[in-house]
Amino acid sequence: MRRSDDELKGICFSMRFLSRTPVRTFLIYPLVVLLWELLTQGGSIEVNLWGLPLMIWGYLQYRLCGKYRGTRGGGGPGPEIPAERLVSTGLYAYTRNPMYLGHIIFLIGLSLTLKSWFAAVITLAVAIWFHFRVLADEASLARQLGAPYVAYTRGIKRWI
């Protein structure tokens, strides 16, 4: 059976949507961890509400820094459409990657909220993946934005 062009476009859109980093962090990983914990704990999960503020903080940091970067630097929400201008104010005056850091804070909160070693392993893997992504992003931004960006990297930490 051959698929129509519309079906193929729908499948491609779905795959692109699901492969987006924010969709993975804020939707797919929490659902997978929740399902994992339900299956491994016999359908019962003990929740630690102390981790919930970290989840909220991480998500808001990601969203608000993205909006801030877009307003101040132009470009799109992710590295696919990079900023047109250097943004070095707001949280960007303290860390070069506050949006990525927001993802990691959220995942730490998820790990603590669900008391999940599985979520902690995902968090560690995502943090390592982000680090290598940042190295590539920084090389690209140095080429695009030049000396002002290189000077910014000398004065502001990559993470914290």
Side-chain angles (χ1 to χ4, degrees):
M1 175 161 81
R2 186 174 170 176
R3 295 187 185 266
S4 71
D5 286 344
D6 287 340
E7 286 177 314
L8 290 174
K9 286 178 186 176
I11 291 169
C12 288
F13 172 79
S14 296
M15 294 305 290
R16 277 194 311 271
F17 176 76
L18 293 174
S19 70
R20 294 184 60 233
T21 306
V23 172
R24 285 194 315 265
T25 298
F26 303 114
L27 181 64
I28 295 173
Y29 295 151
L31 290 174
V32 168
V33 168
L34 192 58
L35 182 61
W36 172 267
E37 294 302 325
L38 282 170
L39 290 172
T40 60
Q41 295 182 29
S44 173
I45 297 177
E46 186 179 338
V47 176
N48 174 8
L49 294 179
W50 290 103
L52 195 57
L54 287 175
M55 292 177 70
I56 295 167
W57 169 15
Y59 179 75
L60 288 175
Q61 181 168 314
Y62 159 76
R63 291 293 294 181
L64 296 174
C65 285
K67 189 173 186 79
Y68 186 84
R69 190 198 91 170
T71 301
R72 303 282 189 297
E80 299 81 25
I81 306 171
E84 299 157 1
R85 296 171 301 284
L86 177 64
V87 179
S88 59
T89 57
L91 278 182
Y92 291 90
Y94 302 98
T95 174
R96 297 194 307 254
N97 298 287
M99 291 175 67
Y100 293 159
L101 196 54
H103 285 261
I104 295 167
I105 292 167
F106 175 87
L107 290 171
I108 291 169
L110 178 68
S111 300
L112 295 172
T113 299
L114 297 179
K115 298 180 181 181
S116 173
W117 285 105
F118 182 60
V121 169
I122 290 173
T123 301
L124 180 61
V126 168
I128 291 168
W129 181 81
F130 270 129
H131 182 71
F132 285 105
R133 181 172 175 173
V134 161
L135 296 177
D137 289 352
E138 287 177 348
S140 175
L141 287 167
R143 285 190 302 276
Q144 180 189 348
L145 300 173
Y149 180 77
V150 173
Y152 170 70
T153 63
R154 288 187 187 122
I156 304 299
K157 300 265 186 219
R158 179 176 286 136
W159 292 110
I160 299 174

